[in-house]
Amino acid sequence: MDSLITAAARALAAGDPLGALNRVALRDDAPALALRGIAMAQLGDLVRAKALLRNAARAFSPKEAVARARCIVAEAEIAFVSRDLGWSAKALEGARAILEAHGDRVNAAHARYLELRRLLLIGRLDEAERTLVEIDPAPFPPATKAAHELVVAGIAMRRLQTKTARAALARAGRAARDAGIPALTAEVESALLILNTPAARLIAGGKERLLLPEEIEALLASNAVVVDQSRYAVRDARTVVSLARRPVLFALARALAEAWPADVSRGTLVARAFRGKAADESHRARLRVEMGRLRAMLGTLAGVSATSQGFALVPRHGREVVVLARPVEDEHAGVLALLADGESWSSSALALALGASQRTVQRALDELAAAGKVQWFGRARARRWMTPPVPGFTTTLLLPAPLPSD
């Protein structure tokens, strides 16, 4: 490898894409194309970067398997940043295996962390956690250690383990400073900001207030009965009753919890759960049936008692009942939560991350666009959706957990 290629590679490793381009911008050999592609990616021109890396991979000879594998890893990172979640995980896994077989453990680790970040993005926390425990970051350089800790923090934040997340981000910050890469330091600071901004609203006793992630964690560990809108569940510190597949029951539980300790009239419950304008006899009959189902589902958490006006929630052992709601009430809050990271998403990527059909997501995007809440660019398969971050609120913590399998 000649001196210019070596100098450009070192500039890229230090987070200096312009310095790298100054050395290889006019060259079209395979190593220069690869470095130019990575430089353009760091500068934000992802379309050009992807094209350069594909040209580089084709230009390397079959004997240069490691160089080709590195191009695949770089292209996978571009796909992740551009939220193209349909890129081939098998191709990345194959590239990682080649890198490991040839002793390039640092780039192999980088490929593994890309896999983990994709798993985080689509909510597969258990799989990400199982993979993470197999990796020892000790032998890696500071930049790779920072990537490791960012994944640790990401898992902890999605599980609302705030102390673990803060400790991981502190280690990531030290590693990023040791690496001397400003973009990596900024990523750590952005992740830390999530822990310092409201992530939910507490509704109790007819009053509302915003909660930080630490406060949410403390609430879920308390003795209170919590109707959790983000995960469509009723829970306390020991028991979680999922109503994710029972939207009518969840609507009834939330209405009762918001009014607790008072009761809720039958007319109000019909309007909230069935969207009926008036409670006729058929609505009343259906309401009795659904209340019976809710009473059976809640079990040891709370009972549901009939009153002269309607129904009331009765927690076991005299505990408090509260509602944990999203900070922003919107029918398509999950879509907005993903788009609030400031990246451009395809509808297929949003569908994968949310566990919904692409058509459902497309309808939501059309409604949000009509309301001026999102915008798009590109045509057909190249269309991407984005929106500015929601001011003052977290993003991924607003997302519901993946639905339980049947």
Side-chain angles (χ1 to χ4, degrees):
M1 187 177 292
D2 61 59
S3 59
L4 284 177
I5 293 294
T6 301
R10 288 175 177 170
L12 286 176
D16 180 17
L18 292 177
L21 286 175
N22 284 337
R23 293 169 172 85
V24 296
L26 300 179
R27 294 177 51 168
D28 289 322
D29 53 294
L33 287 173
L35 294 174
R36 284 168 57 193
I38 296 172
M40 295 307 294
Q42 290 186 6
L43 291 171
D45 190 347
L46 302 182
V47 174
R48 180 62 177 159
K50 189 174 181 179
L52 286 166
L53 285 166
R54 286 187 173 178
N55 290 338
R58 286 193 292 265
F60 282 115
S61 70
K63 294 182 179 180
E64 297 174 293
V66 172
R68 285 188 169 192
R70 290 173 180 169
C71 289
I72 292 173
V73 173
E75 188 177 343
E77 185 166 15
I78 291 171
F80 174 81
V81 171
S82 58
R83 296 301 186 259
D84 179 11
L85 302 185
W87 49 264
S88 174
K90 289 185 177 180
L92 181 60
E93 184 178 353
R96 178 174 57 81
I98 291 172
L99 294 170
E100 288 178 345
H102 288 80
D104 189 353
R105 296 182 178 178
V106 172
N107 281 310
H110 184 61
R112 179 62 66 87
Y113 289 127
L114 282 175
E115 294 172 359
L116 290 172
R117 294 179 71 183
R118 180 178 181 274
L119 291 174
L120 278 181
L121 201 59
I122 60 178
R124 292 162 61 177
L125 303 186
D126 292 338
E127 187 176 345
E129 201 164 34
R130 286 194 299 269
T131 303
L132 188 65
V133 297
E134 301 173 357
I135 305 174
D136 178 14
F140 298 141
T144 308
K145 290 180 180 178
H148 179 93
E149 298 300 343
L150 282 169
V151 174
V152 173
I155 294 173
M157 283 190 286
R158 289 293 295 269
R159 295 192 185 283
L160 278 174
Q161 299 169 347
T162 54
K163 290 183 179 179
T164 300
R166 286 192 182 277
L169 289 176
R171 295 191 296 270
R174 290 192 294 269
R177 289 190 293 272
D178 291 342
I181 302 176
L184 189 56
T185 302
E187 185 175 359
V188 175
E189 292 173 350
S190 178
L192 187 60
L193 183 64
I194 294 176
L195 293 175
N196 296 323
T197 51
R201 286 180 299 128
L202 176 68
I203 304 174
K207 298 181 180 179
E208 298 184 12
R209 68 181 180 90
L210 293 171
L211 296 183
L212 294 172
E214 283 92 346
E215 295 173 306
I216 299 172
E217 183 180 13
L219 174 65
L220 296 181
S222 72
N223 197 40
V225 176
V226 181
V227 177
D228 185 352
Q229 181 191 14
S230 292
R231 289 161 179 80
Y232 295 99
V234 181
R235 60 194 298 170
D236 63 9
R238 297 175 297 276
T239 307
V240 178
V241 177
S242 175
L243 300 177
R245 300 185 186 278
R246 309 296 294 270
V248 170
L249 295 188
F250 182 81
L252 292 171
R254 177 171 177 175
L256 294 173
E258 288 180 354
W260 184 86
D263 62 355
V264 184
S265 70
R266 289 174 176 82
T268 300
L269 290 170
V270 166
R272 291 282 296 268
F274 311 141
R275 298 181 180 179
K277 294 182 179 180
D280 58 24
E281 191 55 38
S282 64
H283 284 125
R284 291 174 182 272
R286 184 183 176 191
L287 182 61
R288 288 194 295 270
V289 171
E290 296 296 348
M291 282 301 180
R293 290 171 177 167
L294 180 61
R295 187 181 294 111
M297 290 286 291
L298 295 182
T300 59
L301 285 176
V304 179
S305 63
T307 67
S308 59
Q309 298 297 319
F311 292 89
L313 202 60
V314 183
R316 309 296 185 193
H317 314 297
R319 294 182 293 177
E320 182 185 13
V321 178
V322 300
V323 174
L324 188 63
R326 298 188 184 101
V328 178
E329 291 280 1
D330 193 285
E331 182 182 359
H332 308 302
V335 175
L336 289 172
L338 286 172
L339 292 176
D341 66 0
E343 302 292 347
S344 57
W345 289 70
S346 66
S347 59
S348 60
L350 288 168
L352 180 60
L354 291 169
S357 71
Q358 189 171 347
R359 182 58 190 143
T360 298
V361 170
Q362 189 61 57
R363 283 196 297 268
L365 289 168
D366 290 340
E367 292 178 16
L368 290 170
K373 296 180 180 181
V374 301
Q375 57 188 6
W376 56 269
F377 61 91
R379 297 286 180 181
R381 293 185 178 181
R383 177 170 292 189
R384 293 294 184 270
W385 299 83
M386 63 187 302
T387 184
V390 180
F393 297 113
T394 62
T395 56
T396 54
L397 290 182
L398 306 184
L399 294 173
L403 297 179
S405 58
D406 290 330

